[in-house]
Amino acid sequence: MGRCWPSCAPRDSTRRWRGSTGRAPAALDAFLDGGLAEEEGGARLRCAPAHEAACYECAGALDLWPDLPRVVAPVRLVLGERGFVAPALRERLCAALPGTGIDVVPGGTHFVALEKPREVGEALARFLRERRDVDVA
């Protein structure tokens, strides 16, 4: 995946817009911080553009809340410290799935799994080790 922009100017101009209007949600900051990777000579999307578009296209059609009562497996959320999952959403999920745990990866954004795969893997391994019925190396 090559360079998308000659600089991070789109991100920076969006931040200026947010500062002047106050209308952009914190999720936009999380996307701008985590979704763009600065590299020599410019900036690029961390995800392939087609993958990014597919995620947004599909997300609007999913409503899994009615199915949550059927989840019997333990659940762990792994979030980036600078990412954005609205507190109300976390609370709703934890209420729907009692015992849900949350790990926060320092310095991570909304794209923490792409940015810090080792730390995410370690968080998931710790979660699995807590389960007495799962063997994790």
Side-chain angles (χ1 to χ4, degrees), residues 9-94:
R11 176 186 64 196
D12 299 337
S13 66
T14 302
R15 284 226 167 90
R16 282 192 296 279
W17 171 81
R18 180 179 191 260
S20 66
T21 66
R23 286 187 234 161
L28 178 59
D29 277 340
F31 175 79
L32 293 172
D33 286 340
L36 295 177
E38 294 186 53
E39 55 185 34
E40 188 175 328
R44 65 175 172 78
L45 287 173
R46 289 189 190 272
C47 294
H51 178 77
E52 184 86 3
C55 288
Y56 284 102
E57 182 180 330
C58 294
L62 285 176
D63 180 11
L64 300 177
W65 292 104
D67 294 323
L68 285 183
R70 297 177 38 210
V71 174
V72 295
V75 174
R76 181 70 51 119
L77 301 177
V78 181
L79 309 171
E81 173 185 37
R82 297 181 303 130
F84 188 80
V85 173
L89 182 58
R90 286 191 301 245
E91 291 168 13
R92 183 178 177 196
L93 183 60
C94 289

Side-chain angles (χ1 to χ4, degrees), residues 28 40 62 100 114 118 130:
L28 178 59
E40 188 175 328
L62 285 176
T100 295
L114 296 172
R118 171 167 276 149
E130 293 170 6

